[in-house]
Amino acid sequence: MADITALANEATGVFFLSLSEPIMSDKPDFAEIETFDKTKLKKTETREKNPLPTKETIEQEKQSESTA
């Protein structure tokens, strides 16, 4: 997030805002993407936190609901 500095001229009542970072444009900066070093990424193992039930599990639940 950009730091905003407010400058005030009390005599005129005019306020100026100064951003410490450039404002984003509509177009992305592809220079950063092209120079990105993928070798610096660490390897991770992806695991499903909340896996969907299997077809068999769904059938078992349907059968137990119909007999109850």
Side-chain angles (χ1 to χ4, degrees):
M1 181 174 261
D3 293 328
I4 299 175
T5 305
L7 305 171
N9 184 335
E10 292 181 23
T12 60
V14 177
F15 289 88
F16 299 96
L17 294 178
S18 171
L19 297 174
S20 63
E21 295 178 8
I23 297 173
M24 290 183 62
S25 68
D26 293 344
K27 298 178 184 173
D29 183 13
F30 289 108
E32 290 183 25
I33 296 170
E34 293 169 355
T35 60
F36 183 76
D37 185 9
K38 291 189 279 187
T39 60
K40 291 183 179 179
L41 295 174
K42 66 178 184 177
K43 300 290 182 194
T44 59
E45 181 182 326
T46 306
R47 280 188 270 150
E48 186 97 20
K49 287 186 177 183
N50 189 11
L52 295 174
T54 63
K55 191 172 188 177
E56 292 80 21
T57 306
I58 294 171
E59 290 298 323
Q60 288 175 356
E61 289 181 7
K62 283 183 181 179
Q63 288 176 0
S64 66
E65 288 177 1
S66 64
T67 59

